[in-house]
């Protein structure tokens, strides 16, 4: 299901790498994707998927990659290759035309999205959200920031269950979910209002608890169990950062 | 009258939770559903009010099968009071909340407002009519959920732990509402952990969690040590006292 | 960022943003049930914007898309700037008192849709080539085949598919904050700008 979380637990070196290193790597791939020519984009995408296989998350990554990128790739090729009017449109058969520059452009855009998608899937499937949060805390990000990432993740299941319970309760009171569009719009209010009001009540309660616990008393949070980091990974992160800065400068000055 | 015939149900990929469960709740009768957590009490309610579809058997109200109908259609026969009223309160005023159910039946405005004031009167909420539902106390919110169901005037009522956490005054109010509904010929099913409450109010007990859930009259249930142990419930105070005295 | 979170937000607003992000993610669940042609993924953002202002709204938007990107669909992160603009513009409109009456709220919804279009179009065109692999692509294809430029085809499609959703979300928030008991809204500084003039 696309509606379930992507992370696959594992013990590969990519799983064990510090999330900050992995996210720096991801950003580097994203920036680089704006400099690579189409064939390289597709080749690197394939390499990333192979890395996924080597890390034991290949099945889930490739499946999601296909599911997400196939419709997009098709759409971009059809649209730029055959629909969007261009000066070099050539007739193929009857009304069907194609444009070579359009196909080239589609290959560029499609390849870039393919690469960004493959690498972000690899990042997300090898990085547990909780580990990422610990890494951010260890790097002394402000607690407000990591709270905004962590807290929704923790509340998600609870609110999904609550949404379900609300729709159950309202339907047993006679709320019909399959009337005319106008009826369904009214039904929306009966479903959303209890969810929103309970969320507001939650927020009030939570802020009392957080204040009482001295959340934000310090500018950062102390982490008892920070994700492993090495001197090599720190070096790698700095090098990638410098490399990204150079790429960006090149793109701007070009 | 509510009838359950040979009900069978299992959650996907799990063993059968119910297999051939049958029970009858005549008009003017209160059935208590008891059993430990996970015995299937809430699941049984969901099978009755249509939130879940039984795999086998059927549920009948007044002799007519309601199994397979839409949830919103079943709502015209069976009313459910859920454990947490917050899950259903959506209106800005108590009055509007109670009016929602009757309005689904397309009643004229004067009948709706008559039903609303009657239901609020019976739940001691009439003086709260213009307040915001979330400004009420926990007990009042529970009774608002009850009022919303009463206003629909349905032949079958399901109450999920309606007595939980109520003080003596509110418990007595609940008991008098139950008594009035029973006298009015309603079929009432309640999930209840409080065995004293069951002993005082119910006519029969359906004990889930044992090998074969059976419907047993209240005195017989509380005298049957074997069944009590099987579904692991406490005996109500009068029975314990009697045991102590003899 | 640290300065912003420290100075502008008390813990109360942070807690509000956190639950609003969850609402943004979970809201779509009701849509599966009701099958309405809308997204319902920015109700939390607009709610925060009305209760706590444009910066809080913008942050709700960004974090919603980052979190969706992190756990469900990485592509969502690319549209974080769009979510930011929704929160920012909704907050500015609320500050200007455009969430007071029903008609103002409808217009606010339209303005939000227009503002997000301005940000979404360049992202869609330069990063995604104007298509997304969804049903909306047929509209883009239609508009460009009848002679519209790529920019205007994408703009029409984005605005058209968002305007109903944003007007509806704005109306839901408007209806909600009007009827909320004070207990639940106490301490949110921006609400006073959306209270109907006495």
């Amino acid at each position: 299901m696309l509606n379930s979380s992507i992370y696959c637990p594992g013990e590969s070196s990519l799983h064990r790498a510090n999330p900050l290193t992995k996210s720096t790597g991801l950003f580097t791939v994203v920036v680089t994707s704006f400099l690579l020519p189409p064939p390289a984009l597709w080749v690197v995408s394939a390499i990333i998927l192979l890395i996924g296989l080597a890390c034991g998350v290949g099945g889930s990554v490739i499946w999601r990659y296909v599911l997400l990128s196939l419709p997009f790739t098709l759409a971009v090729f059809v649209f730029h290759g055959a629909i969007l009017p261009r000066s070099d449109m050539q007739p193929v058969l009857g009304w069907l035309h194609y444009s070579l520059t359009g196909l080239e452009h589609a290959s560029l855009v499609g390849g870039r999205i393919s690469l960004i998608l493959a690498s972000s899937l690899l990042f997300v499937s090898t990085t547990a959200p909780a580990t990422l949060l610990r890494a951010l805390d260890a790097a002394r990000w402000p607690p407000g920031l990591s709270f905004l990432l962590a807290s929704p993740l923790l509340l998600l299941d609870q609110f999904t269950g609550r949404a379900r319970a609300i729709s159950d309760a309202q339907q047993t009171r006679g709320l019909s979910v399959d009337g005319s569009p106008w009826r369904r719009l009214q039904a929306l209010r009966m479903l959303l209002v209890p969810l929103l009001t309970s969320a507001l009540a939650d927020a009030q309660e939570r802020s009392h608890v957080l204040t009482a616990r001295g959340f934000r008393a310090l500018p950062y949070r102390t982490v008892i169990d920070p994700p492993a980091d090495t001197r090599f990974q720190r070096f790698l992160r700095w090098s990638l950062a410098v490399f990204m800065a150079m790429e960006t400068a090149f793109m701007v000055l070009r | 009258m509510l009838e359950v015939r040979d009900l069978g149900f299992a959650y996907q990929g799990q063993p059968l939770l119910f297999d051939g469960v049958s029970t009858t709740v005549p008009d003017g009768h209160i059935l208590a559903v008891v059993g430990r957590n996970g015995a299937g009490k809430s699941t049984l309610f969901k099978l009755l009010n249509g939130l879940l579809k039984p795999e086998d058997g059927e549920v009948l109200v007044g002799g007519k099968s309601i199994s397979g109908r839409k949830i919103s259609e079943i709502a015209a026969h069976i009313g459910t009071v859920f454990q947490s009223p917050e899950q259903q309160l959506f209106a800005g005023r108590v009055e509007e909340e109670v009016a929602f159910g009757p309005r689904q039946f397309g009643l004229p405005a004067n009948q709706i407002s008559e039903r609303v004031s009657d239901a609020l009167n019976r739940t001691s909420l009439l003086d709260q009519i213009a307040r915001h539902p979330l400004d009420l106390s926990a007990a009042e919110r529970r009774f608002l959920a009850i009022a919303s169901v009463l206003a629909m005037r349905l032949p079958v009522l399901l109450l999920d732990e309606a007595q939980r956490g109520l003080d003596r005054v509110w418990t007595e109010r609940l008991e008098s509402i139950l008594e009035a509904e029973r006298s009015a010929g309603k079929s009432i099913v309640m999930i209840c952990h409080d065995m004293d409450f069951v002993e005082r109010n119910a006519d029969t007990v359906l004990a889930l969690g044992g090998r074969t859930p059976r419907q047993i009259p209240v005195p017989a249930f509380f005298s049957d040590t074997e069944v009590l142990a099987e579904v692991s419930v406490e005996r109500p105070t009068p029975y314990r006292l009697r045991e102590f005295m003899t | 960022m640290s300065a912003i979170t420290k100075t502008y937000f008390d813990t109360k607003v942070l807690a509000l943003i956190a639950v609003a992000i969850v609402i943004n993610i979970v809201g779509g669940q009701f849509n599966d049930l009701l099958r309405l042609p809308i997204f319902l993924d920015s109700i939390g953002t607009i709610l925060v914007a009305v209760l706590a202002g444009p910066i809080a709204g913008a942050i709700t938007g960004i974090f919603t898309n980052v979190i969706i990107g992190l756990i469900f669909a990485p592509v969502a992160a690319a549209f974080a700037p769009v979510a930011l603009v929704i929160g920012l513009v909704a907050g500015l409109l609320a500050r200007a008192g455009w969430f007071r009456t029903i008609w103002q709220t409808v217009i606010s919804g339209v303005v939000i849709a227009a503002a997000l279009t301005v940000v979404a179009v360049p992202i869609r065109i330069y990063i995604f080539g104007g298509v997304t692999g969804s049903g909306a692509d047929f509209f883009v294809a239609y508009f460009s085949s009848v002679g519209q430029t790529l920019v205007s085809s994408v703009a029409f499609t984005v605005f058209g598919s968002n305007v109903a959703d944003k007007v509806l979300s704005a109306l839901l928030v408007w209806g909600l904050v009007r009827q909320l008991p004070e207990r639940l809204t106490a301490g949110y500084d921006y609400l006073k700008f959306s209270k109907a003039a006495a």
Side-chain angles (χ1 to χ4, degrees):
Chain A
M1 287 297 295
L2 278 181
N3 263 342
S4 55
S5 142
I6 305 177
Y7 172 67
C8 310
E11 279 300 317
S12 73
S13 45
L14 208 53
H15 278 93
R16 276 174 298 154
N18 189 288
L20 296 179
T21 313
K22 282 187 275 185
S23 48
T24 315
L26 172 62
F27 286 129
T28 312
V29 174
V30 171
V31 173
T32 311
S33 75
F34 285 88
L35 285 169
L36 292 177
L41 288 168
W42 292 101
V43 171
V44 182
S45 305
I47 294 173
I48 301 253
L49 293 177
L50 287 176
I51 296 177
L53 273 179
C55 294
V57 294
S60 126
V61 167
I62 290 173
W63 187 69
R64 276 173 197 271
Y65 168 82
V66 170
L67 218 59
L68 291 167
S69 74
L70 195 65
F72 174 75
T73 308
L74 272 176
V76 88
F77 272 96
V78 171
F79 181 68
H80 285 277
I83 293 175
L84 189 69
R86 282 175 194 268
S87 51
D88 65 335
M89 281 289 208
Q90 301 288 326
V92 187
L93 249 180
W95 51 268
L96 189 64
H97 286 59
Y98 83 100
S99 151
L100 213 54
T101 54
L103 289 175
E104 274 166 21
H105 184 69
S107 174
L108 176 71
V109 169
R112 195 183 289 151
I113 291 300
S114 145
L115 177 55
I116 295 175
L117 187 65
S119 45
S120 23
L121 282 172
L122 184 62
F123 169 74
V124 172
S125 60
T126 56
T127 311
T131 320
L132 175 65
L133 291 165
R134 275 188 291 133
L136 294 181
D137 281 339
R140 307 212 158 161
W141 285 44
L145 221 68
S146 53
F147 171 80
L148 284 184
L149 281 175
S151 177
L153 290 173
L154 296 173
L155 292 173
L156 205 52
D157 280 345
Q158 189 191 330
F159 272 68
T160 307
R162 205 181 285 178
R164 171 93 242 164
I166 290 168
S167 85
D168 280 0
Q170 301 303 49
Q171 287 185 71
T172 61
R173 290 172 83 190
L175 178 77
S176 168
V177 293
D178 44 19
S180 65
W182 177 240
R183 291 278 312 258
R184 281 181 279 149
L185 263 183
Q186 290 173 311
L188 186 60
R189 176 170 164 255
M190 286 193 59
L191 296 173
L192 271 170
V193 170
L195 188 67
L196 288 166
T197 41
S198 73
L200 284 172
D202 247 43
Q204 296 274 11
E205 225 168 89
R206 233 158 250 284
S207 74
H208 295 318
V209 174
L210 287 172
T211 313
R213 280 205 323 225
F215 167 77
R216 318 176 88 187
L218 287 172
Y220 53 85
R221 288 205 288 185
T222 328
V223 191
I224 300 163
D225 174 28
D229 204 359
T230 57
R231 186 179 270 174
F232 170 70
Q233 290 196 50
R234 272 191 290 273
F235 171 73
L236 190 63
R237 290 203 291 270
W238 280 107
S239 318
L240 289 174
V242 171
F243 180 60
M244 268 192 279
M246 281 160 57
E247 284 181 315
T248 317
F250 175 74
M251 274 190 277
V252 174
L253 298 175
R254 186 168 53 168
Chain B
M1 182 158 82
L2 173 74
E3 289 167 273
V4 177
R5 283 189 196 153
D6 292 322
L7 200 67
F9 181 78
Y11 283 105
Q12 213 166 18
Q14 285 178 25
L16 272 180
L17 185 62
F18 297 126
D19 187 8
V21 173
S22 295
T23 189
T24 303
V25 188
D27 293 345
H29 186 100
I30 299 180
L31 168 71
V33 179
V34 305
R36 63 176 90 88
N37 291 338
K41 302 188 294 291
S42 298
T43 306
L44 178 66
F45 265 28
K46 287 185 176 175
L47 289 164
L48 295 179
N49 60 25
L51 289 172
L52 291 173
K53 303 268 170 265
E55 272 157 37
D56 282 310
E58 53 183 353
V59 177
L60 301 97
V61 176
K64 277 188 209 135
S65 173
I66 55 158
S67 296
R69 291 209 210 163
K70 280 192 261 180
I71 307 166
S72 55
E73 288 171 14
I74 297 176
H77 305 277
I78 298 182
T80 312
V81 177
F82 287 87
Q83 260 189 63
S84 7
E86 292 74 19
Q87 279 164 6
Q88 62 176 68
L89 304 181
F90 72 100
R93 281 158 59 95
V94 162
E95 184 181 21
E96 195 197 337
E97 192 70 51
V98 180
F100 171 78
R103 206 167 278 152
Q104 301 307 298
F105 302 149
L107 295 173
N110 59 334
Q111 280 187 40
I112 292 177
S113 74
E114 187 266 316
R115 283 185 178 208
V116 169
S117 16
D118 175 61
L120 287 176
N121 186 30
R122 293 179 59 194
T123 46
S124 317
L125 291 174
L126 206 49
D127 47 346
Q128 316 277 16
I129 194 160
R131 292 186 70 190
H132 193 290
L134 294 180
D135 277 337
L136 303 179
S137 72
E140 287 170 332
R141 265 180 273 167
R142 173 90 47 82
F143 274 64
L144 176 57
I146 295 172
S148 306
V149 172
L150 289 180
M152 292 172 80
R153 305 202 173 152
L154 306 169
V156 179
L157 291 183
L158 311 180
L159 299 130
D160 192 349
E161 297 284 359
Q163 84 298 330
R164 197 169 67 172
L166 297 181
D167 66 15
R168 203 169 59 89
V169 176
W170 285 107
T171 307
E172 279 168 9
R173 284 177 182 162
L174 176 62
E175 292 186 354
S176 69
I177 291 172
L178 283 175
E179 185 45 48
E181 289 296 290
R182 171 165 41 200
S183 311
K186 305 294 172 71
S187 305
I188 301 166
V189 185
M190 57 183 199
I191 290 177
C192 191
H193 269 114
D194 178 346
M195 290 308 134
D196 287 313
F197 192 86
V198 169
E199 193 266 335
R200 284 198 305 274
N201 298 287
D203 299 301
T204 53
V205 172
L206 181 69
L208 297 181
R211 282 181 297 275
T212 42
R214 278 174 298 146
Q215 188 177 0
I216 310 170
V218 166
F221 174 73
F222 286 118
S223 315
D224 190 333
T225 340
E226 204 180 312
V227 177
L228 285 176
E230 206 174 74
V231 297
S232 62
V233 297
E234 289 263 309
R235 246 186 242 217
T237 322
Y239 284 80
R240 270 181 287 166
L241 279 177
R242 213 172 301 154
E243 193 178 34
F244 182 71
M245 314 266 262
T246 50
Chain C
M1 200 72 168
S2 163
I4 291 174
T5 50
K6 197 95 194 151
T7 335
Y8 287 87
F9 296 147
D10 55 0
T11 307
K12 197 174 187 107
V13 173
L14 270 185
L16 171 70
I17 295 177
V19 296
I21 293 169
V22 185
I23 295 289
N24 283 341
I25 300 175
V26 173
Q29 210 175 312
F30 291 140
N31 217 15
D32 297 343
L33 189 71
L34 296 170
R35 303 177 319 280
L36 290 163
I38 47 178
F39 312 118
L40 291 180
D41 58 358
S42 39
I43 290 183
T45 307
I46 298 177
L47 178 66
V48 172
V50 168
L51 292 178
I55 295 173
I59 289 183
T60 311
I62 298 173
F63 275 86
T64 299
N65 280 45
V66 168
I67 289 173
I68 294 177
L70 214 51
I71 53 177
F72 302 131
V75 176
F79 289 99
V82 178
L84 177 153
V85 165
I86 295 170
L88 189 72
V89 172
L92 292 173
L93 286 163
R95 174 67 185 80
W98 279 81
F99 272 87
R100 281 207 205 108
T101 65
I102 186 164
W103 292 112
Q104 285 177 319
T105 308
V106 169
I107 294 168
S108 291
V110 177
V111 173
I112 294 169
L116 80 88
T117 304
V118 173
V119 187
V121 168
I123 294 180
R124 286 219 192 190
I125 290 179
Y126 294 114
I127 300 185
F128 294 89
V131 293
T132 52
S134 69
D137 294 349
F138 291 104
F139 292 98
V140 177
Y142 171 77
F143 286 129
S144 38
S145 67
V146 297
Q148 293 290 339
T149 62
L150 181 55
V151 172
S152 53
S153 305
V154 173
F156 282 144
T157 307
V158 170
F159 181 76
S161 57
N162 269 285
V163 70
D165 178 63
K166 298 303 172 284
V167 168
L168 204 71
S169 302
L171 282 174
L172 273 160
V173 169
W174 170 79
L176 180 79
V177 295
R178 262 165 45 107
Q179 69 160 44
L180 278 179
E182 214 155 280
R183 194 166 50 78
L184 289 184
T185 54
Y188 299 127
D189 290 343
Y190 265 72
L191 186 58
K192 58 175 181 281
F193 303 119
S194 301
K195 289 274 186 206

